[in-house]
Amino acid sequence: MSMSFPSVDEQLQIITRGIEKIVPQDELRKKLQHSQDTGIPLRIKYGIDPTGIDVHLGHTVPLRKMRQFQELGHQAVIIIGNYTALVGDPSGRDEARSKRLTEAEVQINATTYLTQVGKVVDMSRAEVHCNGDWFSTMSFADVLALCGRVTVAQLLTRDDFAKRYREEKAIFLHECLYPVMQAWDSVKISSDVELGGTEQLYSFMLARDLQAQENLQPQIAVMSPILVGLDGVRRMGKSLGNYIGISETPYDMMKKFMQLPDGVMKMYFELLTDVPLDDVARLLAGHLKVAKVTLAKLVIAQYHSDPDAAAAAARWQSEIGGEALPTDIPEVGLDAALLAAGNLTAGKLLTALNLCPSNGEARRLIQGGGARLGEAKTAITAHDQLIPVTDGLLVWAGKKKYCRVKLV
RNA sequence: GGGGGAAUACCCGAGUGGCCAAAGGGGCCAGACUGUAAAUCUGGUGGCGUAAGCCUUCGCAGGUUCGAAUCCUGCUUCCCCCA
């Protein structure tokens, strides 16, 4: 078995790509060396709270790292935080989470999650644990004993808590338990390395303390930068609506990629693809639109296939980059009874087709010049303009929303 | 248990009796420009109505008043401080 590990240097080179911080820096080499010498794979932990169901590219950053570790011969250990999810991760939040999940919701989410995680991690070689397995059987006395190992002062060294404390915002007691629970997971599964974002530093370090107290080898924190979302500013997240989900269709992903700000491409290449960094630099020195298409195709192919990705790119180029009409124009039924002598006012047409949610919005859209008709995209000029409506009429509400009329 | 403070549209936030569908900023939408990138510029950003206009909205429920986001009463939620 030991023969199958690449050399420590080779491993380090792969592992450190796209990693912002390894703590403690030098111990990773020692661990890898030890694993090399003994033939015992390292246990790589990644915890995920089943709070939602859409796995997006932000999640794939540590998951990809996990996959790389697997390919180097190490053991993947996935923790489903069904108990930590009951608390909600306070990391990077300046406020407490408002809602807490029920156990039933968590259960469903966990299943969906694992399916998606399997698109990145080789689940046939991964260990999966739910932290409820050990937390649900702890007594209150056990919890107290665990809490007795952590001081509030330590807790307040976390940036997010410290900030909230300074700003006199609420910090709830159960939130304080979150890092403790996460750290305890590391004890329970004897992790050698834990993967996650830089915001997890505190929990990762706490895990080291607890592991040491249990006479275990402390884990090493391997932390990725936080992937920014489509807005190019905030972290990619479901609640922010700025994410690309790995279950989306190739074309949907393509459209989102092409809307990315140029500035984030370097990060995306580094964290989401295996393109050597020299090549990335070369790509980014060229035409940025070309680089963006390359990026999009590479990532899409990971979750679909090369042909799918190529097709999505070609379609984007012809429909959006070029002049071709979209190929997916939906038909929307329109009650023929609404017509007066075959006509309908523009505002009513837009709302009846659900292109605008209200008359007010329709009026604004028309005033802004975004409402158009037909293949020629003739602008509608007035809200009360009478439109001769025929079956199959193409109606545009801006560039991205459109449909064909289907008289019923 | 006691005291202080707060709640305004997607978010932040101004507004202390009529000129308030409610300043300003952010976000978002649309247009121009472009590579559906960035930057910039323009317009818009409660509902109904072709329109005049009408209706709903400033935590909730009442009240005072010709008139309330604004004053009063009760309630709810949140924050802080003291114990």
Side-chain angles (χ1 to χ4, degrees):
Chain A
M1 186 69 190
S2 65
M3 301 308 290
S4 67
F5 288 111
S7 78
V8 169
D9 282 328
E10 282 174 74
Q11 292 196 50
L12 272 173
Q13 202 191 336
I14 293 170
I15 291 165
T16 51
R17 174 190 172 124
I19 289 299
E20 182 159 327
K21 223 173 176 183
I22 296 176
V23 187
Q25 186 73 251
D26 48 327
E27 264 183 49
L28 180 59
R29 172 177 288 276
K30 285 186 208 153
K31 283 241 190 202
L32 288 169
Q33 188 62 55
H34 185 256
S35 153
Q36 176 96 314
D37 296 343
T38 58
I40 301 172
L42 297 179
R43 296 176 60 72
I44 317 298
K45 173 191 170 196
Y46 179 66
I48 194 164
D49 282 355
T51 48
I53 20 184
D54 275 335
V55 173
H56 56 64
L57 294 180
H59 300 118
T60 70
V61 173
L63 288 173
R64 280 173 49 81
K65 192 53 65 182
M66 177 67 98
R67 178 63 185 240
Q68 289 165 1
F69 269 105
Q70 280 188 308
E71 277 161 12
L72 294 172
H74 299 291
Q75 177 65 51
V77 185
I78 307 270
I79 308 271
I80 298 291
N82 60 337
Y83 256 57
T84 29
L86 300 174
V87 176
D89 185 359
S91 288
R93 299 231 149 205
D94 14 355
E95 272 176 50
R97 305 219 169 196
S98 43
K99 62 164 191 199
R100 252 167 277 159
L101 296 156
T102 66
E103 288 204 41
E105 286 173 315
V106 164
Q107 206 50 253
I108 297 165
N109 289 346
T111 316
T112 326
Y113 247 131
L114 281 179
T115 318
Q116 298 180 78
V117 168
K119 292 185 180 178
V120 184
V121 174
D122 180 354
M123 294 306 287
S124 68
R125 289 191 286 151
E127 254 176 68
V128 178
H129 301 275
C130 290
N131 61 9
D133 292 353
W134 42 87
F135 286 125
S136 63
T137 60
M138 282 175 82
S139 70
F140 198 72
D142 295 333
V143 176
L144 288 176
L146 184 54
C147 290
R149 304 194 197 184
V150 184
T151 69
V152 173
Q154 279 173 349
L155 216 54
L156 284 176
T157 60
R158 280 176 66 115
D159 270 359
D160 39 27
F161 281 163
K163 182 161 174 265
R164 275 206 245 164
Y165 189 73
R166 262 198 320 274
E167 294 174 359
E168 305 187 326
K169 286 187 174 162
I171 302 171
F172 290 91
L173 206 49
H174 71 286
E175 291 184 277
C176 297
L177 248 35
Y178 188 92
V180 180
M181 292 167 79
Q182 203 180 333
W184 191 245
D185 289 342
S186 295
V187 169
K188 296 309 282 185
I189 60 126
S190 302
S191 51
D192 291 300
V193 169
E194 177 155 10
L195 303 177
T198 47
E199 81 282 1
Q200 304 288 334
L201 178 64
Y202 174 79
S203 307
F204 288 8
M205 292 303 104
L206 182 58
R208 286 174 61 81
D209 292 344
L210 296 184
Q211 283 175 317
Q213 287 170 22
E214 300 287 324
N215 291 314
L216 294 165
Q217 286 298 310
Q219 67 177 20
I220 293 158
V222 174
M223 293 170 291
S224 328
I226 291 162
L227 190 76
V228 297
L230 298 177
D231 52 48
V233 180
R234 297 171 302 176
R235 65 182 299 159
M236 183 176 282
K238 189 187 166 127
S239 55
L240 297 174
N242 61 353
Y243 69 98
I244 302 178
I246 64 171
S247 303
E248 294 186 45
T249 66
Y251 188 56
D252 283 340
M253 291 174 91
M254 189 71 204
K255 282 192 284 192
K256 289 190 180 179
F257 266 108
M258 295 312 286
Q259 287 181 56
L260 276 176
D262 290 346
V264 305
M265 276 200 278
K266 182 167 186 285
M267 178 187 231
Y268 273 51
F269 267 115
E270 185 169 357
L271 298 182
L272 302 176
T273 74
D274 297 321
V275 179
L277 299 182
D278 289 347
D279 294 350
V280 171
R282 210 164 301 131
L283 273 165
L284 294 181
H287 195 306
L288 292 173
K289 186 192 164 194
V290 175
K292 204 174 280 178
V293 172
T294 308
L295 169 69
K297 286 205 283 193
L298 284 170
V299 177
I300 293 169
Q302 291 170 30
Y303 302 101
H304 298 280
S305 68
D306 287 329
D308 284 343
R315 184 172 158 197
W316 184 88
Q317 186 54 51
S318 79
E319 291 184 20
I320 292 173
E323 290 300 309
L325 289 175
T327 53
D328 63 348
I329 302 176
E331 285 199 335
V332 177
L334 183 71
D335 187 352
L338 289 171
L339 303 182
N343 291 326
L344 191 60
T345 57
K348 285 215 170 114
L349 178 65
L350 290 165
T351 50
L353 292 171
N354 279 325
L355 291 172
C356 292
S358 68
N359 283 336
E361 292 226 10
R363 182 189 297 113
R364 283 174 226 132
L365 182 74
I366 292 164
Q367 273 166 5
R372 296 187 158 93
L373 288 176
E375 278 71 14
K377 299 195 182 182
T378 318
I380 296 172
T381 52
H383 183 237
D384 54 358
Q385 181 181 334
L386 282 176
I387 310 295
V389 179
T390 52
D391 211 34
L393 178 68
L394 183 55
V395 184
W396 304 84
K399 288 171 188 161
K400 296 165 199 166
K401 279 195 292 184
Y402 41 79
C403 73
R404 274 189 196 282
V405 174
K406 171 101 181 141
L407 286 175
V408 290

